[in-house]
Amino acid sequence: MAEALIIDACRTPRGIGKPGKGALAHLHPQHLASTVLGALVERNGFDTADVDDVIWGTSSQVCEQSGDLGRMAALDAGYDVTASGATLDRFCGSGITSMNFGAHAVMAGMEDLVVTGGTEMMSLPKKGLLPMGAGNAHLQELHPQSHQGVCADAIATQEGISREALDALAAQSQARADVAITEGRFDRALVPVLNRDGTVALDREEFPRPGTTVESLAQLNPSFLAIADYRHTEDSPSFRELINQKYPDLDIQHVHHAGNSSGVVDGAAALLVASEDYAKAHGLNARARVVATANMGDDPTLMLNAPVPAARKVLARAGMTLDDIDLFEVNEAFAVVSEKFQRDLDLDRDKVNVNGGAMALGHPIGATGAILIGTVLDELERRDEQVGLITMCAGGGMAPAIIIERV
């Protein structure tokens, strides 16, 4: 099987994802994506006519994010018209999945140069507050699916994980992100976003709250108490009742809030993937190779528990053990996801999310997976270590995973 080599990774800063408030909210998502697509060309000098495909992740494919964002952004970035594009949706896992699909094409020998990544502008108008599968009574009977925040609270309740433990993890995420930003650990990947007139829209992370403490987090009210009892129609079950249909004895305690949940942000990220033959022929220096990828499904009612089995599956595919991994990234969609991941796998916490995560930096849904792959790659190089494992929970009870190794 051919090698899939990672040539480069870049991303935008993350802007606050609220209409009229975030520094990126006035921009078109195609412009945000074309920023990182253009940066890959500027940084690596490849001919865009050689790009076999642009595989892009975007979860909310509505409004300006509809209409195959990957292809439109490539055109907006000035790519040759022969560079085709596709856009996919695996909810939060879209960014990792775009990378995995691109790697599969190269490893199969079907493509030689692929750009992968994703965009999410969470400042765009939202869909209604609906459970997944809403309107499909048969599906909801088979697999009742709730709101992700209520699921996070349900898992914490089921696992006996306290709010204090979750707040401690959130404070640590902020502290680690502050160190990473101060020391310039993200600088290699970071691409400033310019307005069309050339002025700077955003050149730094906008979301972090350095100085956050466990004590300050303790003052925040739970975010999902009211949402748990919301009904999208008068006769539909509430989000709480959907979970209790499958777990009738679970008395959900509400422990997640704005400080220990992922931040709502806008952002984009891109990765350049090449075959070994193409890289050698065109003078591209590989930074890493894809060792293995995996996808995993788990209980859709609790939704967020698939990262642990996904990590085990991708390790088995690679013929590796946890001891072979130098750095782990598991997306901090909610504190309980990372906390459970570290507890269940009995990980050294100094190897997990070492530069903070989405609780501090934000989670631009379709882009986050691509961001995390680039973050691990940069940090492996900074530490002169070799192997990283990246995974994240996704809607529907799924998790993609990938292991990369420096070359």
Side-chain angles (χ1 to χ4, degrees):
M1 185 180 295
E3 295 273 25
L5 303 178
I6 303 174
I7 306 300
D8 200 8
C10 66
R11 67 172 179 86
T12 68
R14 281 160 278 197
I16 292 171
K18 295 182 179 180
K21 293 185 178 180
L24 302 177
H26 65 289
L27 297 172
H28 198 288
Q30 292 169 9
H31 175 63
L32 207 60
S34 73
T35 295
V36 289
L37 291 176
L40 283 182
V41 179
E42 292 174 12
R43 291 155 61 115
N44 298 283
F46 60 92
D47 185 348
T48 60
D50 291 343
V51 174
D52 292 304
D53 212 358
V54 175
I55 305 175
W56 214 243
T58 302
S59 182
S60 184
Q61 295 183 32
V62 297
C63 302
E64 291 93 335
Q65 290 191 156
S66 63
D68 192 355
L69 182 55
R71 170 63 170 174
M72 295 304 113
L75 294 174
D76 188 69
Y79 276 39
D80 192 280
V81 297
T82 58
S84 64
T87 303
L88 59 86
D89 173 15
R90 200 194 293 276
F91 303 110
C92 297
S94 300
I96 291 180
T97 299
S98 71
M99 175 63 182
N100 290 356
F101 283 5
H104 297 166
V106 172
M107 294 166 82
M110 294 293 104
E111 295 181 343
D112 285 304
L113 188 66
V114 181
V115 177
T116 73
T119 301
E120 204 80 39
M121 292 198 68
M122 299 181 74
S123 56
L124 292 175
K126 301 296 186 295
K127 301 175 183 177
L129 190 61
L130 297 174
M132 293 180 186
N136 185 345
H138 176 67
L139 175 58
Q140 284 289 23
E141 183 178 352
L142 289 174
H143 299 292
Q145 296 179 69
S146 185
H147 182 279
Q148 61 268 27
V150 183
C151 291
D153 286 341
I155 293 167
T157 302
Q158 191 177 66
E159 297 288 327
I161 299 175
S162 68
R163 172 164 170 168
E164 289 74 19
L166 301 177
D167 283 356
L169 193 66
Q172 180 188 73
S173 182
Q174 291 282 355
R176 287 180 171 182
D178 188 39
V179 170
I181 292 168
T182 301
E183 294 185 353
R185 297 183 188 181
F186 300 141
D187 288 357
R188 179 170 183 175
L190 212 59
V191 176
V193 180
L194 305 181
N195 295 307
R196 290 295 183 188
D197 63 6
T199 58
V200 175
L202 186 65
D203 61 1
R204 59 176 179 80
E205 299 290 352
E206 193 176 28
F207 186 79
R209 298 173 296 282
T212 296
T213 64
V214 171
E215 291 74 22
S216 64
L217 292 172
Q219 305 305 311
L220 299 178
N221 293 323
S223 295
F224 305 107
L225 177 59
I227 290 174
D229 295 312
Y230 173 83
R231 305 172 190 274
H232 71 279
T233 66
E234 195 172 297
D235 57 352
S236 64
S238 68
F239 288 116
R240 186 190 309 278
E241 288 168 344
L242 286 166
I243 292 176
N244 286 147
Q245 285 177 26
K246 187 165 184 180
Y247 300 93
D249 298 326
L250 188 62
D251 181 15
I252 300 171
Q253 303 300 301
H254 296 283
V255 292
H256 286 89
H257 50 75
N260 62 21
S261 304
S262 56
V264 177
V265 296
D266 299 329
L271 299 143
L272 184 63
V273 185
S275 67
E276 189 173 13
D277 288 346
Y278 184 92
K280 286 181 179 178
H282 295 84
L284 296 177
N285 295 318
R287 297 174 63 190
R289 71 182 184 95
V290 175
V291 177
T293 72
N295 297 301
M296 196 71 190
D298 201 87
D299 178 13
T301 299
L302 292 178
M303 193 186 300
L304 311 175
N305 280 338
V308 169
R312 289 176 172 145
K313 184 175 182 179
V314 77
L315 285 166
R317 285 267 172 84
M320 291 180 167
T321 70
L322 290 167
D323 291 337
D324 294 315
I325 307 300
D326 296 306
L327 293 173
F328 296 85
E329 283 285 336
V330 57
N331 185 42
E332 295 173 349
F334 300 93
V336 74
V337 177
S338 179
E339 182 65 23
K340 179 173 165 56
F341 187 80
Q342 294 178 74
R343 290 187 185 196
D344 285 4
L345 296 175
D346 192 23
L347 298 179
D348 178 348
R349 290 174 179 257
D350 289 334
K351 293 183 175 183
V352 184
N353 297 355
V354 297
N355 289 325
M359 291 186 288
L361 296 158
H363 174 25
I365 308 295
T368 300
I371 291 173
L372 297 185
I373 293 168
T375 297
V376 167
L377 177 54
D378 286 344
E379 188 63 16
L380 287 171
E381 290 175 342
R382 193 184 75 82
R383 295 176 176 228
D384 194 22
E385 294 180 330
Q386 291 301 118
V387 183
L389 187 156
I390 305 97
T391 188
M392 60 200 308
C393 59
M398 298 183 288
I402 183 171
I403 294 174
I404 64 171
E405 181 180 27
R406 285 180 59 207
V407 297

